[in-house]
Amino acid sequence: MSDSLLSESIQNYLKVIYKLEKNLEEASTSDIAKELNISSASVTGMLKRLSAMRLVNYNSYKGVTLTKDGKTLALEVIRHHRLIEAYLRQSLGYRLAKIHNEACKLEHYVSKDFIEKITEILDDPKFDPCGHPIPTKDGAIPTRDESSLIEFEPIITANISSLNDENVELLNYLDDVGLLPGKKITLLEKSPYYGPIRLAFDDKEISIGHEVAKMIFIDKKSVKHT
């Protein structure tokens, strides 16, 4: 079954279940309802429908997981979403904080020919503009060993690998100052008790807060102690 034959609503459910299952091993009705901002009763009805379509394994007492077919379709939607994000950023110059919502609107309606074309234009990227892996056509997911900047102690140099994109305001800030995936930074100082964190990059120094540092993830293979 192609994702083109599925409704936008079903595609959104599969994508959310994949996200929750990845983080929690299984998705609960309440978690799905919170993610989609709808009632638990509506979620229950859809999960029964998805179960009948053999896209999820659903047990009202144990939660829900994707079947093999469900996961395949979820990864296809995620691939579309992240490739569109990359296109919006690299070809159209969108700010990071705007690409997610735009991609959410477009991901359900683009053709496979369109996806193949932007994949070619972008030279088959492995990660989206925030550093999140783009599933391949076959559903393989590029992996990378990374940890939040907040977990490291000075003094180190390292490359930013990804950003948490859930806080739009903080994402705008990171975009403005240039703390983006691929950037080489030096962690100079980390104040105790959630104090400021001092970084150097691009021949300048900047202090960021604890919450901002939690959004920045570092490629552990790039870490060098100085």
Side-chain angles (χ1 to χ4, degrees):
M1 183 186 300
S2 170
D3 64 341
S4 63
L5 300 177
L6 300 177
S7 69
E8 178 178 340
S9 178
I10 289 176
Q11 291 180 44
N12 283 334
Y13 267 88
L14 295 177
K15 190 169 63 170
V16 165
I17 294 169
Y18 176 84
K19 173 186 174 182
L20 293 171
E21 187 179 351
K22 180 180 177 183
N23 295 332
L24 304 172
E25 295 187 358
E26 64 180 24
S28 70
T29 300
S30 59
D31 287 335
I32 297 170
K34 183 178 179 181
E35 285 283 335
L36 294 173
N37 194 28
I38 57 178
S39 70
S40 294
S42 296
V43 172
T44 298
M46 177 60 86
L47 292 181
K48 290 179 179 178
R49 180 181 174 190
L50 294 176
S51 179
M53 296 171 70
R54 299 183 179 179
L55 296 178
V56 302
N57 301 304
Y58 174 57
N59 183 311
S60 59
Y61 299 103
K62 294 183 179 180
V64 60
T65 59
L66 295 172
T67 63
K68 182 179 178 180
D69 287 343
K71 183 178 179 180
T72 296
L73 292 169
L75 288 172
E76 188 170 357
V77 177
I78 293 168
R79 172 176 168 80
H80 288 188
H81 180 95
R82 293 180 178 173
L83 282 169
I84 291 169
E85 286 188 329
Y87 181 72
L88 292 172
R89 176 70 170 180
Q90 295 180 38
S91 298
L92 301 182
Y94 271 60
R95 291 179 60 78
L96 284 183
K98 290 187 175 182
I99 60 176
H100 177 74
N101 285 341
E102 287 292 333
C104 283
K105 297 172 187 176
L106 296 169
E107 66 191 23
H108 309 288
Y109 305 108
V110 294
S111 67
K112 288 188 176 181
D113 286 342
F114 178 84
I115 290 297
E116 289 178 4
K117 186 62 177 177
I118 64 173
T119 301
E120 179 184 340
I121 290 172
L122 299 173
D123 196 25
D124 195 15
K126 300 297 183 290
F127 298 90
D128 73 13
C130 285
H132 305 143
I134 299 175
T136 68
K137 285 183 179 180
D138 299 327
I141 303 174
T143 58
R144 186 162 48 192
D145 191 10
E146 60 181 8
S147 291
S148 172
L149 175 61
I150 206 68
E151 298 179 20
F152 295 92
E153 299 296 331
I155 296 176
I156 62 164
T157 61
N159 295 330
I160 297 175
S161 55
S162 68
L163 305 174
N164 183 316
D165 61 359
E166 293 180 358
N167 188 314
V168 172
E169 290 184 3
L170 292 184
L171 195 59
N172 266 328
Y173 171 74
L174 295 176
D175 207 354
D176 286 338
V177 299
L179 286 171
L180 302 171
K183 182 71 66 177
K184 183 177 182 179
I185 62 173
T186 301
L187 173 59
L188 297 172
E189 186 178 2
K190 183 180 176 183
S191 301
Y193 305 110
Y194 305 101
I197 294 161
R198 190 159 59 95
L199 305 175
F201 63 100
D202 292 346
D203 299 322
K204 63 182 179 182
E205 292 187 11
I206 187 174
S207 291
I208 62 174
H210 186 87
E211 289 303 311
V212 176
K214 285 170 61 177
M215 291 182 63
I216 300 171
F217 287 80
I218 298 300
D219 182 354
K220 292 170 73 172
K221 290 184 178 179
S222 73
V223 174
K224 294 182 180 178
H225 295 268
T226 61

